[in-house]
Amino acid sequence: MKSHTHYLWFTTRQRQEIIDITDEVAAQVAKSAVKEGFVLVSAMHITASVFVNDHESGLWQDILRWLEESVAPWDPGRYRHNETGEDNAAAHLRSLTIGSCRSRRASSISGRGNGYSTASGTASGASE
Amino acid sequence: MKSHTHYLWFTTRQRQEIIDITDEVAAQVAKSAVKEGFVLVSAMHITASVFVNDHESGLWQDILRWLEESVAPWDPGRYRHNETGEDNAAAHLRSLTIGSCRSRRASSISGRGNGYSTASGTASGASE
Amino acid sequence: MKSHTHYLWFTTRQRQEIIDITDEVAAQVAKSAVKEGFVLVSAMHITASVFVNDHESGLWQDILRWLEESVAPWDPGRYRHNETGEDNAAAHLRSLTIGSCRSRRASSISGRGNGYSTASGTASGASE
């Protein structure tokens, strides 16, 4: 069985960011030479998520605001986890909500513009 | 490695619907002749979700109401994404919550009545 | 293609519990002798979830409280599903939120202490 693994590294600048990794994933699928099989994109940090959705700036703002206002407010004093000296409990809860991995058929991954194939990563609480 | 891919197409009538696709998935697994392996069910629309849960009408009502009242109210004026002319930002957020794919062991997929093997699709904001 | 399947059984004592199954998963991956491939951990009960996150007691308390207070309050009278005689509709909604499966690269699974490799199971409404 053919397999190929690649690690992407990101340095985020803000507490919470969305990064479009579709082209990187598509490039690695091409490099793998896998014609039929699964692509698994999984976050290696437990405050990060992976999702497939639209690369549209208004939607990205909606997502970031929704994570803060509806899913789990940052508010460090609210969480027991932060008694360990961290401040990112909310980022863990946001990651549980969106989920830490997505799988797709290898041949369905394509570059930007498709609209249905955008793999985005959210990194919340990058201090983790 | 044996593989089999099949696309299901749905025409939804309401803004938000749950469709039980368990039998279709089970039929395709049978057709694939895969005895040991993974089944991946992933949504090709970014306002749709895939989940495995109970086919029980009360629960389905609970899910649809919970998506509207707790996860993300439809309320188009609330979201920046809708400035693009769309009205379905809430459906994107609902899809991020439930998630766009589920994987299972191929041999664990069976028809209705098992209770643990119901693969359901939600399609929200089908205009997307 | 090499494959290996193993079922874990749990008896929970409370309505909602988090169980760290990382070591069990790692042991099964070792037993499988798969060097390169996917591990799929999926819940066989539709009120249970699987996630990968930190084994930290404060965070676990945060997660359990967040599921009750933010995601879906237990409150049986609130849900139509409970008209069937069950009382665990909230557990179904919590499971939809966290999700019922996680996939990882087989070789990335390791025991406790890594911090990025904790596979935890939540079982909510174990009466289901």
Side-chain angles (χ1 to χ4, degrees):
Chain A
M1 193 181 67
K2 209 177 282 185
S3 74
H4 176 73
T5 302
H6 182 77
Y7 293 90
L8 297 171
W9 290 79
F10 305 99
T11 306
T12 49
R13 287 191 181 75
Q14 289 160 36
R15 183 185 289 162
Q16 183 170 267
E17 280 185 43
I18 296 174
I19 301 168
D20 185 340
I21 60 174
T22 310
D23 289 347
E24 282 91 338
V25 174
Q28 294 302 324
V29 171
K31 204 170 170 183
S32 75
V34 170
K35 296 292 174 212
E36 195 56 69
F38 292 136
V39 182
L40 169 68
V41 181
S42 73
M44 302 293 284
H45 279 257
I46 51 186
T47 55
S49 300
V50 176
F51 63 82
V52 179
N53 220 292
D54 202 355
H55 187 144
E56 194 277 305
S57 63
L59 180 65
W60 284 19
Q61 291 177 54
D62 293 332
I63 293 169
L64 297 173
R65 194 160 68 94
W66 169 75
L67 288 168
E68 170 61 28
E69 294 179 8
S70 298
V71 173
W74 189 259
D75 187 10
R78 181 192 273 246
Y79 307 103
R80 302 291 307 270
H81 178 55
N82 295 335
E83 295 171 12
T84 62
E86 308 215 41
D87 67 348
N88 63 6
H92 290 269
L93 300 177
R94 294 171 191 185
S95 168
L96 288 185
T97 304
I98 296 188
S100 54
C101 57
R102 291 294 188 268
S103 295
R104 287 293 181 277
R105 187 186 181 203
S107 59
S108 76
I109 308 292
S110 60
R112 264 175 218 125
N114 178 317
Y116 301 136
S117 62
T118 304
S120 298
T122 54
S124 305
S127 65
E128 176 67 31
Chain B
M1 194 180 67
K2 208 177 285 186
S3 74
H4 176 72
T5 302
H6 183 75
Y7 293 90
L8 297 170
W9 290 79
F10 305 99
T11 306
T12 49
R13 287 190 181 76
Q14 289 160 37
R15 182 186 289 162
Q16 183 169 266
E17 279 186 42
I18 296 175
I19 301 168
D20 186 341
I21 59 174
T22 309
D23 289 347
E24 282 91 338
V25 174
Q28 295 302 324
V29 171
K31 204 170 171 183
S32 75
V34 169
K35 296 291 174 212
E36 196 57 70
F38 293 135
V39 182
L40 169 68
V41 181
S42 73
M44 303 294 284
H45 279 257
I46 52 185
T47 55
S49 301
V50 177
F51 63 82
V52 179
N53 220 294
D54 201 356
H55 187 145
E56 194 277 305
S57 63
L59 181 65
W60 284 19
Q61 291 176 55
D62 293 332
I63 293 169
L64 297 173
R65 193 160 69 95
W66 168 76
L67 288 167
E68 171 61 28
E69 294 180 8
S70 298
V71 173
W74 188 259
D75 186 10
R78 183 193 271 247
Y79 307 103
R80 301 293 305 272
H81 178 54
N82 295 335
E83 295 171 11
T84 62
E86 308 214 43
D87 67 348
N88 62 6
H92 289 269
L93 300 177
R94 293 170 192 185
S95 167
L96 288 185
T97 303
I98 296 188
S100 54
C101 57
R102 291 293 187 270
S103 295
R104 286 295 181 276
R105 187 186 180 202
S107 58
S108 76
I109 308 292
S110 59
R112 263 175 219 126
N114 178 316
Y116 301 136
S117 61
T118 304
S120 298
T122 54
S124 306
S127 64
E128 175 67 31
Chain C
M1 194 181 66
K2 208 177 286 184
S3 74
H4 176 73
T5 303
H6 183 76
Y7 293 90
L8 298 169
W9 290 78
F10 305 99
T11 306
T12 50
R13 286 189 183 76
Q14 287 159 38
R15 181 186 288 161
Q16 184 169 264
E17 281 185 43
I18 296 175
I19 300 168
D20 185 341
I21 60 174
T22 309
D23 289 347
E24 282 90 338
V25 174
Q28 294 302 324
V29 171
K31 202 169 171 184
S32 76
V34 170
K35 296 292 173 211
E36 196 57 69
F38 292 136
V39 181
L40 168 68
V41 181
S42 74
M44 301 293 285
H45 279 256
I46 51 186
T47 55
S49 300
V50 176
F51 64 82
V52 179
N53 219 293
D54 201 355
H55 187 143
E56 195 276 306
S57 63
L59 182 65
W60 284 19
Q61 290 176 55
D62 293 333
I63 294 170
L64 296 174
R65 193 159 70 93
W66 169 76
L67 288 167
E68 170 62 27
E69 294 180 8
S70 297
V71 173
W74 189 258
D75 188 11
R78 182 192 273 245
Y79 307 103
R80 301 292 305 270
H81 178 55
N82 296 334
E83 295 171 12
T84 62
E86 308 215 42
D87 67 348
N88 62 6
H92 289 269
L93 300 177
R94 294 172 191 184
S95 167
L96 288 186
T97 304
I98 296 188
S100 54
C101 57
R102 291 294 187 272
S103 295
R104 286 294 181 277
R105 188 188 180 201
S107 59
S108 75
I109 308 291
S110 59
R112 263 176 218 122
N114 179 317
Y116 300 137
S117 61
T118 305
S120 299
T122 54
S124 305
S127 65
E128 176 68 32

